[in-house]
Amino acid sequence: MITQVVMPMLGWTMKEGTIVTWLKKEGEKVEKGEPLLEVETGKIVKDIESPGTGILRKILIPEESTVPVSEVLAIIAEPKEDISTLQNTLEKAKVILETPQVASVEKMESMMTKKTTVKVKISPVAKKLAEKHDIDFNRITGTGPNGRIVRKDILAAIEMTKVMPRVREVIPLVGIRKTTADRLSFSYRTAVHVTVTMVMDMSEMVKLRKKLLPEIEKKKHIRMTYTDMLVKAVAKTLEEYPIVNSTLKDEEIKILEDINIGVAVDTKAGLIVPVIREANTKSLIDIALTTKELVEKARSGNLALDEITGGTFTITNLGMFGVDQGAPIINPPEIGILGVGRIAQKPVVVDGKIVIRPMMNITLSFDHRVIDGALAARFLKTMKQKIESPSDLFENN
Amino acid sequence: MSEKTINVSDAIHDALVEEMRRDPSVVIVGESIQRATSFGITRGLLTEFGYNRVWDTPIAENAIAGLALGAALTGLRPVPIIMIGDFIPYAMEIICNEIAKYRYMFGGNFKVPITIRVGAQGAGAGLAAQHSQCLEAWFIHVPGLKVVYASTPYDAKGLLKASIRDDNPVLFFEHKFLGSITGTIPTEDYTVPIGVADVKREGEDVTIVAWAFMMHKALNAATELEKEGISVEVIDPRTLYPLDKETILQSVKKTGRLIIAEEAPKTGGIGAEISAMVNEEGFDSLDAPIMRVAAPHTPIPYSAALEKLWIPNVKDIINAAKKIVT
């Protein structure tokens, strides 16, 4: 029996997936339910089980390729079974989809990358020349007989690339990088970003953290971070400003009941935003515990899809790298994101005197389509009050 | 160095005379060469060198070749002529199994310094299928034989002298229509080394390898193609075995395109050999498929119209070039 292996839908929002690894080789025997390949989507990697038993006869989609959900990835069949018809149909469809159509500027750039997909007619000397100069001849239209790419075409391409910087390395835009690129460029194109910054006096927070740290460390063996405290602060502020805890999608502003705070985490694989659910109802210790667990999972690549979806508002903290202030891009479909800077000792005027205080900039990027500047300012003001007199906020830890 | 203008026939005549004067062991063997009735090349040789060095034979190519072999083994340096080259098959056993292999099979104890002139090659004279062929391709397949084919008076004289002086058997091909072609040659003694090609015309876009009468057609094609902006390099291999690969490969490296033009059926021809060699040793230089301009796989027609159609011509070369130069 012929079984087609397709790109599975691993979550409701999944549109496409990237093949990370084929765990079986062509010609190898596979059992139904046995892990067959690893698929990455929306920043998580999952083992996919074989949908049938037989021989993995043909892998149609190679590793590192991104394809839409339900695209056929491979064919499993009996050893002698004829799969040529199916294979031909699938491969033809693939060639049509992948035939390059590029405009001139893109052409210049893409010619400098190298990836073979479709069989191209090219003369031996042209091919050698292209390889020597790192020209992707797949993107060149040949002017030779029957459209063959000839030396002249490569020489012209080399001329074109002379104005371009030399390429050291080409990294395919796949997986997390691709997700990040897609989501953030969508956000930047659609959300009307406005940024407001407010300086916060962190004296009380610093004092409070100093007081709580040993206690929490002793009880839970974790080191509570300023980010944990800010998650709580922003979650509580959001309770007072429901409109900021909303999404804008398809001409609808949806004010959300749950306050789920995403925390941007830098991992080797890229930016991941695990979500702390109902952060407003969690104690500081719970937030710290959850955050710690999620960050560890994010860094080891073990997050489940539901741990990175469903966020309603995001915090990104670059203070630990010495950043004073940044204007973050909104994580869609959310409408606000908080950028946190470092805590720095600064001279400030208090009661007519210059004193040294630990100060921190908090920046709110918001979608002006949903909220206005005054509201954003009030939101920050409330947050400032909470941060500068934090004892209420963390009454029960 | 002084020069003189001369045609190919006279250049061959001069080479024979000069070599016979230079080396008393050189003898000539063939049909009606004493009276020089055919093409007049051996005129005056009987008078100057006598019956001991100018041997007439019956119309028997195998006898001519056998006689030459025996003479060579006794220390002479025979130059037999197969007047109508089409009938060389009669002498194939002697040429391919004896002359070609003697030196090898006797451990080098014998030398076989024979130069077999293969005369009256080529179609276009209305002489039908048995008097019009170009048979050089047959002989490059036989180890032990060298094959040369001159297209100009200079090459004809220099190559014939080099062939006569060579201690191994050489087949020296002659084409019907080359005899009257003129050119300048030095009046002093010179040779053209066997195994060295000559770039007859330099160009950038396409290399045409052609020899004998086709070489002249290639030059004409080059002139025509230049008018259309296609720059042609014409290489005359002059020696078909051993082939001067390097000159051809260097040229293809420059132009990226190769046409081989020959006046014989395409199948199993010299063009096939050169094409395969470039494919093996110069593939990375190629910017287009190698083209062969050659004759159809049929006997040469007697009908003048069909014969004209059969012979590869300048237009065929131009078309081949346009097909691969874009």
Side-chain angles (χ1 to χ4, degrees), chain A residues 116-390:
Chain A
T116 310
T117 42
V118 191
K119 196 163 167 62
V120 213
K121 270 195 201 165
I122 180 165
S123 82
V125 70
K127 190 171 184 182
K128 205 179 153 207
L129 200 62
E131 276 161 8
K132 193 175 153 201
H133 288 88
D134 225 11
I135 302 283
D136 178 13
F137 53 78
N138 294 290
R139 307 275 180 170
I140 295 177
T141 311
T143 62
N146 305 318
R148 183 183 293 110
I149 299 165
V150 291
R151 181 164 57 185
K152 191 171 73 177
D153 302 324
I154 304 296
L155 290 174
I158 292 169
E159 275 308 305
M160 265 215 260
T161 56
K162 272 188 186 155
V163 298
M164 305 296 291
R166 292 175 302 153
V167 176
R168 173 184 289 190
E169 191 192 351
V170 175
I171 303 162
L173 191 59
V174 291
I176 291 184
R177 202 67 260 153
K178 169 106 172 87
T179 310
T180 306
D182 287 351
R183 289 175 62 91
L184 293 186
S185 56
F186 169 76
S187 170
Y188 204 71
R189 275 200 315 274
T190 53
V192 180
H193 281 72
V194 177
T195 297
V196 287
T197 301
M198 205 172 271
V199 187
M200 320 247 159
D201 184 339
M202 293 292 281
S203 306
E204 292 306 310
M205 284 281 264
V206 171
K207 260 187 237 161
L208 184 70
R209 180 164 178 267
K210 233 175 224 163
K211 194 182 113 199
L212 292 176
L213 256 186
E215 206 178 306
I216 296 177
E217 218 157 9
K218 202 172 151 199
K219 262 200 254 171
K220 300 289 176 185
H221 310 289
I222 54 163
R223 200 171 163 81
M224 182 187 62
T225 64
Y226 284 108
T227 307
D228 297 332
M229 298 169 87
L230 290 168
V231 165
K232 176 89 181 183
V234 77
K236 283 314 232 185
T237 312
L238 285 167
E239 272 181 357
E240 294 173 40
Y241 296 86
I243 186 73
V244 184
N245 191 53
S246 68
T247 59
L248 172 57
K249 214 178 163 187
D250 307 326
E251 308 292 311
E252 269 181 352
I253 298 167
K254 238 180 237 164
I255 296 173
L256 301 160
E257 184 64 44
D258 296 328
I259 296 174
N260 301 338
I261 307 295
V263 180
V265 178
D266 179 45
T267 73
K268 267 184 203 150
L271 170 69
I272 294 181
V273 187
V275 174
I276 298 152
R277 285 176 193 280
E278 296 174 58
N280 57 324
T281 66
K282 284 194 165 69
S283 71
L284 188 57
I285 289 177
D286 276 351
I287 289 174
L289 279 169
T290 313
T291 309
K292 186 170 183 272
E293 188 195 334
L294 290 175
V295 168
E296 274 167 9
K297 276 188 181 175
R299 297 215 160 116
S300 60
N302 286 325
L303 281 171
L305 198 56
D306 64 1
E307 287 168 325
I308 58 165
T309 48
T312 63
F313 192 90
T314 301
I315 291 187
T316 172
N317 186 351
L318 291 177
M320 59 283 247
F321 300 115
V323 169
D324 281 318
Q325 190 182 330
I329 303 299
I330 297 161
N331 186 13
E334 297 166 18
I335 66 111
I337 183 167
L338 216 54
V340 181
R342 68 176 173 136
I343 300 170
Q345 297 292 334
K346 291 252 169 88
V348 288
V349 179
V350 179
D351 300 332
K353 278 184 192 153
I354 297 175
V355 292
I356 292 171
R357 287 279 170 91
M359 304 302 285
M360 185 178 79
N361 287 319
I362 283 199
T363 299
L364 173 67
S365 288
F366 63 92
D367 188 343
H368 209 327
R369 293 176 303 174
V370 180
I371 58 173
D372 298 326
L375 185 106
R378 283 204 296 278
F379 178 88
L380 275 188
K381 184 101 196 288
T382 306
M383 182 131 183
K384 183 181 167 81
Q385 281 161 3
K386 290 192 192 302
I387 284 172
E388 292 183 352
S389 343

Side-chain angles (χ1 to χ4, degrees), chain B residues 255-275:
Chain B
T255 63
R257 303 180 184 92
L258 175 64
I259 295 170
I260 307 117
E262 66 183 308
E263 192 191 310
K266 189 187 272 186
T267 313
I270 306 250
E273 173 58 29
I274 294 175
S275 168

Side-chain angles (χ1 to χ4, degrees), chain B residues 90-105:
Chain B
Y90 281 115
M92 283 308 249
E93 156 61 20
I94 305 288
I95 295 171
C96 300
N97 269 338
E98 311 297 336
I99 290 174
K101 298 181 172 68
Y102 235 87
R103 192 170 187 181
Y104 173 78
M105 293 185 76

